[in-house]
């Protein structure tokens, strides 16, 4: 088979595994969903990780292009979009009560954000070893799709930070999610607004508890000083 057929087979395999993961997640089986998403990511790694490829010329050429761009995929394509969405779904799985792994949830959201870095400026794609070059005349649709996924990625990141009680960072991530949606001329989702308000409320409660704790601590020190001053 030719190069295009090889890419099609890889894409179809990844898509089937992602859809199977989605079905498991809808059926309240996050552990099974996570296994299927993880397997899909392993298949994607064939395209995006550097390793000896033998006679697979379609992979050798692709690896050469990625290595020239600092390990980033700088061509917006269906396989990359699937990989990003799978990572975001896997991040959501890790926040389910059955798995509850905020560290992995954070990791998957951050990996999705990393993959989106070349596509976050309107009309251009960032390229080169340090993403310091710009390839112009990229279709407007690329920016819009990338920003939509970036909004979802920041939402997943914020959700993981909220679960980890890192309220300050959660507020920042939910704010960034809303900003990304606006930049793509999309409506900010209600879930983002709700989680943002929740993170702000919990941040306020945490600060109030800390203030009371410090006030009590200094009050105790003052009482001790007064006792020592009594002859």
């Amino acid at each position: 088979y030719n190069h295009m057929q090889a890419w099609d087979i890889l894409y179809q395999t990844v898509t089937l595994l992602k859809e199977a993961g989605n079905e498991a997640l809808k059926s309240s089986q996050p552990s099974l969903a996570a296994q299927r998403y993880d397997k899909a990511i392993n298949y994607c790694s064939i395209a995006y990780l550097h390793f000896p490829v033998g006679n697979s010329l379609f992979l050798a050429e692709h690896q050469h292009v990625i290595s020239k761009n600092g390990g980033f995929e700088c061509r917006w394509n269906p396989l990359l979009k699937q990989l990003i969405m799978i990572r975001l779904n896997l991040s959501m799985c890790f926040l389910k009560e059955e798995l509850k792994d905020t560290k992995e949830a954070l990791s998957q959201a951050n990996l999705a954000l990393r993959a989106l870095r070349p596509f976050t400026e309107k009309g251009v794609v960032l390229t080169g070893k340090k993403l310091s070059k710009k390839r112009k005349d990229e279709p407007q649709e690329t920016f819009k799709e990338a920003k939509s996924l970036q909004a979802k990625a920041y939402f997943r990141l914020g959700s993981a930070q909220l679960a980890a009680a890192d309220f300050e960072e959660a507020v920042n991530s939910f704010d960034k999610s809303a900003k990304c949606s606006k930049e793509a001329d999309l409506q900010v989702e209600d879930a983002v607004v709700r989680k943002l308000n929740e993170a702000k409320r919990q941040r306020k409660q945490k600060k109030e508890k800390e203030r009371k704790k410090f006030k009590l601590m200094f009050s105790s020190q003052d009482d001790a000083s007064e006792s020592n001053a009594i002859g």
Side-chain angles (χ1 to χ4, degrees), residues 117-133:
R117 275 178 59 192
F119 309 100
T120 53
E121 288 189 25
K122 191 176 288 188
V124 302
V125 173
L126 303 180
T127 64
K129 288 283 186 183
K130 296 181 179 179
L131 297 185
S132 55
K133 299 176 183 178

Side-chain angles (χ1 to χ4, degrees), residues 6 12 29 59 74 78-79 90 106 108 119 131 138 148 167 172 182 203 209-210 217 219:
Q12 288 166 16
Q29 300 179 80
L59 289 176
C74 294
L79 184 64
L90 185 53
L106 286 165
Q108 292 300 323
F119 309 100
L131 297 185
E138 186 69 17
S148 175
F167 305 125
N172 289 337
K182 290 173 184 174
R203 179 182 64 178
K209 283 181 183 177
E210 287 172 350
M217 185 176 69
S219 176

Side-chain angles (χ1 to χ4, degrees), residues 121-166:
E121 288 189 25
K122 191 176 288 188
V124 302
V125 173
L126 303 180
T127 64
K129 288 283 186 183
K130 296 181 179 179
L131 297 185
S132 55
K133 299 176 183 178
K134 293 184 178 182
R135 189 177 73 230
K136 297 182 179 178
D137 300 322
E138 186 69 17
Q140 174 70 17
E141 196 58 32
T142 297
F143 175 77
K144 190 164 185 175
E145 288 180 0
K147 275 293 171 182
S148 175
L149 285 172
Q150 195 179 31
K152 288 182 172 68
Y154 275 122
F155 177 73
R156 296 279 176 247
L157 183 64
S159 297
Q161 289 161 337
L162 187 60
D166 191 350

Side-chain angles (χ1 to χ4, degrees), residues 2-185:
N2 61 33
H3 291 189
M4 288 306 298
Q5 285 176 318
W7 283 115
D8 284 344
I9 291 167
L10 180 58
Y11 175 75
Q12 288 166 16
T13 303
V14 168
T15 300
L16 284 171
L17 285 165
K18 176 186 170 238
E19 289 172 353
N22 291 351
E23 286 302 315
L25 196 56
K26 287 175 186 174
S27 303
S28 301
Q29 300 179 80
S31 183
L32 178 60
Q35 289 173 28
R36 290 170 174 173
Y37 291 142
D38 187 60
K39 196 169 184 178
I41 289 170
N42 286 338
Y43 273 98
C44 285
S45 70
I46 293 171
Y48 297 120
L49 291 183
H50 190 78
F51 58 90
V53 295
N55 294 323
S56 301
L57 294 178
F58 81 105
L59 289 176
E61 179 189 344
H62 191 66
Q63 285 187 6
H64 177 65
V65 173
I66 286 178
S67 66
K68 283 170 58 180
N69 292 306
F72 286 90
E73 169 64 275
C74 294
R75 293 176 290 193
W76 192 243
N77 60 71
L79 184 64
L80 178 63
K81 286 187 276 186
Q82 287 286 45
L83 174 59
I84 292 166
M85 287 188 284
I86 290 164
R87 289 202 183 282
L88 297 182
N89 290 352
L90 185 53
S91 179
M92 179 168 54
C93 282
F94 282 124
L95 291 180
K96 298 292 183 182
E97 203 59 46
E98 186 180 321
L99 299 176
K100 210 62 178 174
D101 190 336
T102 53
K103 187 177 178 182
E104 277 299 322
L106 286 165
S107 175
Q108 292 300 323
N110 276 315
L111 285 167
L113 285 167
R114 182 189 183 277
L116 286 161
R117 275 178 59 192
F119 309 100
T120 53
E121 288 189 25
K122 191 176 288 188
V124 302
V125 173
L126 303 180
T127 64
K129 288 283 186 183
K130 296 181 179 179
L131 297 185
S132 55
K133 299 176 183 178
K134 293 184 178 182
R135 189 177 73 230
K136 297 182 179 178
D137 300 322
E138 186 69 17
Q140 174 70 17
E141 196 58 32
T142 297
F143 175 77
K144 190 164 185 175
E145 288 180 0
K147 275 293 171 182
S148 175
L149 285 172
Q150 195 179 31
K152 288 182 172 68
Y154 275 122
F155 177 73
R156 296 279 176 247
L157 183 64
S159 297
Q161 289 161 337
L162 187 60
D166 191 350
F167 305 125
E168 191 68 46
E169 288 301 315
V171 169
N172 289 337
S173 294
F174 292 133
D175 273 335
K176 287 177 181 177
S177 176
K179 183 182 177 186
C180 289
S181 292
K182 290 173 184 174
E183 286 176 352
D185 295 323

